Amino acid sequence: MQPSAGVLFAALALPFLGAAVAPVVYRLLGERTAYVAAAIALTCFGLLATQYGAQGSVSLPWIPALGVSFTLYLDGLSLLIGFLASGVGVLVFTYSGGYMHGEPGQAKYYATMLAFMGAMLGVALAADLIALFLFWELTSVASYLLIGHYQREERSQYAARKSMLVTVAGGLFMLVGFLLLASVSGDALPAHTFTLIGTQGSMLANAAAMRHALEARGLFVPVLLLLGVGAAAKSAQVPLHIWLPDAMEAPTPVSAFLHSATMVKAGVYLVGRFRPLLLSEEWMLLFVALGLVTMTVTAILAVGATDIKELLAYSTASHLGLIVAGFGVSTVIGAETGVFHILNHAVFKATLFLVAGIVAHEAGTRAIEDLGGLRHDMPIVAGITTVAALGMAGVPPFNGFYSKELLFDATYEVAAHDGGLTWLLPAVAVFGSVFTFLYSIRFLSLFFGEKPEGLHAHRPPLSMLAPPLLLAVVAAAIGAVPQAAVDAIVGTAVQSTTVAAVHDVHVGLPTALTPPVLMSAVTIGLGGVAYPFYDRLHRGVRRLRAVSLVSPDWYYDALLAGANDASDLVPRHLHTGVLRTYAGALFAGVAVLVLAGYAAGAVVLPAATGLALSVPTILVLLVAVVGAVAVGRAPSHVAGVLTLSILGFMVAVFYVLAQAPDLALTQLVIETLVLVIFLLVLDKLPAFYGEGADRRVAVDAAVALAVGVTVALTVLLATGATPADPIFTFFLERGGVPAEHGRFLLDFGGGANVVNVILVDFRAFDTMGEISVVSMAALAVLTLLGMRERGESQ
Amino acid sequence: MSEREPTVIARTVTRTVVPIILVTAIALLLRGHNLPGGGFIAGVLTVTAFALVYVIYGSDVVERDLVRVAPSFEREFPGAADVYGATFAAGLAVAAGSGLTAILLGHPFLTQGVVFVEHLPLYGELEVASAFAFDVGVYLVVVGALLTIISVVGAE
């Protein structure tokens, strides 16, 4: 069925409207704004739920003249992401009501969170690449603001900057990929378009044609890599994962919402969306490698974590790697892995982050080694954590087990099919999963075992307990009856990410001992055996992290420090305070650009057909040339200005000889004015020029020559152009007074001076602009120079 | 401004020439539509006259006698800059106003027309162009802006 336009646009617009009024609501309701925000999120969830089962696109005409319309597309995958964004949003906002009690900056917090939710819905629903990119970057900006919530803390500033730089840089790579896709769409599709999905002429509807066009132009691998970088940056894949652990500076509800359930899922959503378009050998190589490496490396790093949120951050990156690896495998099982794990991971990871927030709030510390035996104080939370952590570990019958099993299944199939080096894939998958098991059990053990001395934990309030409880119930339900979850939402979403048609997706507890089941058993077994040695592993990983050569963090910091040092060079060489630098750079730059433009356009100079000048004109121009040479050789300012005036006056005489009296008059008055003004400043300048350094004189001469050549070429090319229907015939016909006329004359210029008629009548609007600019220049001089003494030196 | 006193010759020549320059400028403004001239040229020539007075006589004379404003040290703007500022603002207003008048009469912005006034005693037929109002606007802008720049820079 076709989705309803009103519902979709309302669901998208509502969070933004909420963000706009959030400060006002905060002024009225104070901390209860959280529940208003939760109500908005619930409304969005409800609106999307009414569209359950719909598939299609809706659009709003935006600029009908250019054929631009704002299009949204709904299908299983976008519905899944939309549900996650709004559903987890409801719970996070409710949780914030308790967590953010007494914290500063709450109005900004709720406004930004609502705007983020809207942007995430936009990412999920956008049908064309421009809208997708817009909402993508909006989520980055919202994330920046939220990570830097504690504005005055230096660590928050550092973390926010890092996340912004990494994700936005990735986004730029992705944008280039999008532009390449759009430019190729001109070849492959009926019309050049930015539309990704939804219409007949969209890229995904004509995937095979797009692919041929990309390969024909040799752009397939570049586009794949560019999109891969964008997705990797957003979803914290190695080596662009560095921003995620630092992002834990944000308040915990932000971490639960953005950095586990939604924003980081945008990258894997992109991977899933483009999978039908770009699935190929290269795709599989890139994403399986990226995913499995990330999964393993970050799982090892998670074992080395000392802070509960740090552990969860690395774990998020690891599970995202799992999803990417799943999407990387070219079989349908791979797609199932990816989509199912998007759901499972969001559910258990958001739960665990909320639990981490509860622990931090009630026990007062986030350090792993200081925590333990919390089940005595928070039994319900302990139960919640058991469900979620065992799901994270991949232990049956919890939800994470099924998607991990699908990964093992997918990698085993590939290895059995291709053999040889591909046996690495299941091996690495198992290796990474062992570490996943280890850190998950470590997190769980915070609630069991002995309680350290001096640790006091309170019971959490209901507003903080209910959300993770609800999520844990959902996780347990998925774990108990996974087929229901698959039939409900995952099945249709998988269809969006596959090329071939999908038959029923089956998940359930394993009934036979197949190799993938063996892999799971081996994982759990090895994990159980290795767990007693956790501390030694932990210390080993920490020692490894300290080696700067293998730490991407070190490279990031070094790059930034280098960039800062390099940018210090700029003022030293560019802002010297000497007029020569500015003038020289300006002239040289303009000359280079213009000449480069001519060269790129392969312009042809009009051929010289002989000398059409009369003798007086030649004499006048010769005197001008002599004047120009004299300017170069003038020893003092007075001589320089006087010889420059000779040049100007000769040009004016040339205009007279060329029968352009208006131009000649203008040239004459300007020359006179310049000469008179020069007398104003004569006293302040030294009488004679000094000796110029040879190098400086040479540079000046080169710049002057370049400018001269540029202007000469421009004049030649401009006058050599002969359009078919020149406009001057129109001006000459309509400029004057016609023979027969009545009292009033509107259609004709009515003047004999066609230059003036053009200035004030035909092109009056241009003149209007020019006098505005002149006024602005005068204002600028007045304020910058004239009002300096008043102390307006901002 | 200048430590050297301008010579008697300079002062006398300036005193004679400046009114001639101003009259020429106005003449160029009035005849711009049909003969070489126009608002911009007239404006620059007017500024030349003022600049000459600035150079030869000094800014005090200009402010006190020509523009008739209080001396510099009592004002927040250097020289007569606020008067000049008012001038170019007035010019912009006149130019825009002449364009808007066309809208009031039901034509697109900045449409110009010509009226032929007949049966005048000496001239016979006179052609009055609405473009003249726009030209006056341009003239005022040029005069005001350039004088602002000169007075500010000259006061440095």
Side-chain angles (χ1 to χ4, degrees):
Chain A
M1 81 182 198
Q2 181 72 5
S4 147
V7 169
L8 282 185
F9 282 107
L12 184 59
L14 201 56
F16 289 112
L17 288 172
V21 301
V24 177
V25 174
Y26 183 74
R27 198 95 60 92
L28 296 171
L29 294 177
E31 290 182 0
R32 285 187 287 269
T33 317
Y35 305 110
V36 174
I40 294 179
L42 190 60
T43 319
C44 289
F45 186 85
L47 286 171
L48 285 175
T50 61
Q51 301 301 303
Y52 177 75
Q55 179 164 341
S57 59
V58 298
S59 62
L60 197 65
W62 195 8
I63 312 177
L66 293 178
V68 173
S69 60
F70 184 37
T71 316
L72 297 179
Y73 178 79
L74 187 73
D75 69 349
L77 186 61
S78 42
L79 196 62
L80 175 64
I81 304 285
F83 275 155
L84 283 177
S86 47
V88 175
V90 177
L91 299 173
V92 165
F93 280 122
T94 316
Y95 182 90
S96 301
Y99 186 91
M100 295 295 285
H101 174 70
E103 294 276 345
Q106 286 187 46
K108 173 183 75 149
Y109 170 84
Y110 289 113
T112 319
M113 287 278 265
L114 280 169
F116 167 78
M117 191 172 81
M120 196 64 213
L121 287 174
V123 168
L125 293 171
D128 70 284
L129 295 174
I130 298 293
L132 180 62
F133 179 74
L134 195 76
F135 286 118
W136 180 283
E137 291 301 340
L138 214 56
T139 61
S140 290
V141 170
S143 163
Y144 169 78
L145 290 172
L146 287 167
I147 294 175
H149 178 82
Y150 302 110
Q151 284 166 298
R152 309 268 172 245
E153 303 284 325
E154 178 146 354
R155 291 177 52 124
S156 296
Q157 294 170 358
Y158 173 77
R161 240 180 288 134
K162 195 173 192 177
S163 79
M164 182 75 148
L165 285 175
V166 174
T167 51
V168 171
L172 286 177
F173 280 92
M174 188 181 81
L175 181 64
V176 175
F178 283 172
L179 292 174
L180 286 176
L181 277 173
S183 83
V184 165
S185 71
D187 299 341
L189 305 175
H192 170 94
T193 180
F194 276 100
T195 315
L196 180 63
I197 192 170
T199 62
Q200 288 282 59
S202 67
M203 293 183 197
L204 280 175
N206 302 292
M210 282 292 293
R211 222 180 315 184
H212 279 135
L214 280 171
E215 274 158 12
R217 282 227 229 157
L219 285 176
F220 187 81
V221 172
V223 166
L224 187 63
L225 286 174
L226 288 167
L227 291 179
V229 169
K234 192 69 143 199
S235 292
Q237 304 296 289
V238 165
L240 299 171
H241 64 284
I242 48 177
W243 63 273
L244 199 53
D246 283 290
M248 297 298 122
E249 291 296 322
T252 308
V254 173
S255 307
F257 195 21
L258 272 71
H259 305 128
S260 67
T262 46
M263 188 181 104
V264 293
K265 295 285 190 309
V268 296
Y269 166 78
L270 191 78
V271 174
R273 257 289 172 243
F274 277 90
R275 193 165 175 277
L277 186 65
L278 298 172
L279 191 58
S280 59
E281 283 289 319
E282 295 92 344
W283 168 282
M284 191 161 133
L285 184 63
L286 174 66
F287 285 112
V288 173
L290 184 66
L292 286 178
V293 166
T294 303
M295 181 176 142
T296 311
V297 168
T298 47
I300 297 176
L301 288 172
V303 170
T306 50
D307 174 308
I308 46 178
K309 280 181 76 174
E310 188 191 352
L311 187 154
L312 291 176
Y314 280 119
S315 148
T316 303
S318 172
H319 284 272
L320 290 170
L322 196 163
I323 299 175
V324 169
F327 277 136
V329 174
S330 46
T331 57
V332 172
I333 300 190
E336 289 170 21
T337 312
V339 175
F340 200 18
H341 206 62
I342 288 181
L343 176 63
N344 284 335
H345 174 257
V347 171
F348 65 62
K349 192 48 71 64
T351 316
L352 289 172
F353 265 111
L354 294 178
V355 164
I358 292 177
V359 169
H361 222 242
E362 311 303 341
T365 175
R366 276 173 22 193
I368 294 182
E369 52 189 22
D370 291 339
L371 293 164
L374 286 169
R375 76 177 186 285
H376 301 292
D377 297 308
M378 312 185 223
I380 304 180
V381 180
I384 294 172
T385 314
T386 312
V387 172
L390 288 179
M392 186 158 77
V395 172
F398 297 98
N399 63 343
F401 166 74
Y402 301 103
S403 32
K404 183 155 289 186
E405 187 66 19
L406 283 172
L407 178 73
F408 288 150
D409 204 342
T411 48
Y412 179 79
E413 255 189 38
V414 170
H417 188 265
D418 293 336
L421 222 56
T422 54
W423 283 108
L424 263 180
L425 296 177
V428 172
V430 170
F431 185 65
S433 303
V434 172
F435 282 94
T436 309
F437 184 88
L438 283 174
Y439 68 67
S440 306
I441 301 301
R442 185 70 184 89
F443 189 88
L444 188 56
S445 71
L446 290 177
F447 287 84
F448 298 95
E450 274 187 35
K451 203 162 142 182
E453 287 289 327
L455 182 67
H456 300 291
H458 314 282
R459 280 225 141 89
L462 187 65
S463 63
M464 281 174 71
L465 186 58
L469 183 59
L470 187 58
L471 278 173
V473 167
V474 171
I478 299 179
V481 252
Q483 191 61 42
V486 167
D487 291 334
I489 184 135
V490 174
T492 42
V494 173
Q495 182 64 68
S496 313
T497 60
T498 52
V499 180
V502 170
H503 304 292
D504 296 321
V505 179
H506 285 295
V507 286
L509 280 174
T511 48
L513 196 67
T514 56
V517 177
L518 199 57
M519 286 163 72
S520 291
V522 164
T523 309
I524 298 176
L526 278 179
V529 163
Y531 187 72
F533 302 100
Y534 189 92
D535 282 333
R536 256 196 260 172
L537 285 168
H538 172 88
R539 280 196 297 271
V541 172
R542 286 211 76 79
R543 261 202 297 269
L544 200 60
R545 268 172 65 167
V547 176
S548 50
L549 214 60
V550 295
S551 158
D553 257 327
W554 181 83
Y555 286 101
Y556 170 84
D557 289 331
L559 187 70
L560 238 54
N564 270 331
D565 288 338
S567 55
D568 278 338
L569 288 176
V570 171
R572 231 178 320 135
H573 292 291
L574 219 54
H575 292 163
T576 52
V578 175
L579 189 60
R580 160 186 279 107
T581 323
Y582 305 129
L586 188 67
F587 288 135
V590 170
V592 163
L593 280 174
V594 171
L595 291 175
Y598 290 155
V603 292
V604 175
L605 284 176
T609 49
L611 210 58
L613 296 172
S614 62
V615 173
T617 315
I618 297 178
L619 282 175
V620 165
L621 290 176
L622 273 178
V623 175
V625 169
V626 168
V629 172
V631 171
R633 301 202 48 187
S636 70
H637 281 294
V638 178
V641 171
L642 285 177
T643 44
L644 199 57
S645 296
I646 295 178
L647 185 54
F649 284 119
M650 285 305 113
V651 172
V653 175
F654 166 71
Y655 284 144
V656 173
L657 291 174
Q659 300 178 356
D662 222 78
L663 280 176
L665 254 184
T666 315
Q667 179 79 8
L668 281 170
V669 290
I670 298 280
E671 276 304 325
T672 317
L673 181 62
V674 166
L675 200 52
V676 170
I677 290 179
F678 172 69
L679 294 176
L680 266 179
V681 297
L682 176 59
D683 281 342
K684 298 289 186 281
L685 294 172
F688 290 95
Y689 295 133
E691 278 296 315
D694 278 342
R695 206 178 79 110
R696 207 194 290 169
V697 171
V699 168
D700 291 348
V703 172
L705 191 64
V707 173
V709 166
T710 310
V711 175
L713 276 178
T714 309
V715 171
L716 282 173
L717 288 169
T719 49
T722 42
D725 191 6
I727 199 169
F728 70 80
T729 49
F730 172 81
F731 285 149
L732 287 176
E733 280 167 32
R734 297 305 206 108
V737 178
E740 291 283 320
H741 59 83
R743 200 110 193 278
F744 293 99
L745 191 63
L746 231 72
D747 297 333
F748 285 78
N753 180 1
V754 74
V755 173
N756 186 278
V757 171
I758 293 176
L759 277 178
V760 299
D761 195 341
F762 290 125
R763 295 292 212 206
F765 203 59
D766 295 344
T767 313
M768 188 89 212
E770 283 152 20
I771 56 178
S772 314
V773 169
V774 168
S775 315
M776 279 193 269
L779 270 178
V781 168
L782 183 59
T783 44
L784 289 178
L785 291 184
M787 291 163 77
R788 266 198 318 214
E789 292 84 41
R790 285 175 55 186
E792 325 277 317
S793 53
Q794 276 111 8
Chain B
M1 243 180 316
S2 166
E3 275 99 17
R4 295 177 297 214
E5 269 297 310
T7 60
V8 175
I9 301 178
R11 288 211 301 272
T12 318
V13 168
T14 307
R15 215 184 4 226
T16 317
V17 159
V18 162
I20 301 180
I21 298 178
L22 289 173
V23 169
T24 314
I26 303 292
L28 284 174
L29 171 66
L30 287 172
R31 74 176 209 166
H33 209 50
N34 293 313
L35 292 167
F40 184 76
I41 294 174
V44 177
L45 208 51
T46 312
V47 173
T48 310
F50 272 90
L52 208 50
V53 180
Y54 260 108
V55 171
I56 301 299
Y57 280 94
S59 54
D60 296 331
V61 170
V62 175
E63 289 155 24
R64 199 182 57 229
D65 296 333
L66 282 183
V67 184
R68 309 275 167 106
V69 296
S72 279
F73 55 81
E74 287 177 23
R75 310 162 53 74
E76 47 188 72
F77 291 103
D82 56 344
V83 174
Y84 302 142
T87 312
F88 71 71
L92 279 174
V94 167
S98 74
L100 288 173
T101 319
I103 296 186
L104 290 173
L105 296 172
H107 295 289
F109 183 55
L110 284 176
T111 306
Q112 313 286 12
V114 177
V115 167
F116 292 93
V117 181
E118 286 157 16
H119 308 305
L120 285 177
L122 275 176
Y123 290 103
E125 176 189 89
L126 192 63
E127 178 194 325
V128 180
S130 68
F132 178 66
F134 189 78
D135 228 1
V136 167
V138 172
Y139 172 79
L140 289 174
V141 167
V142 171
V143 168
L146 289 181
L147 278 177
T148 312
I149 298 176
I150 289 178
S151 71
V152 167
V153 171
E156 286 282 310

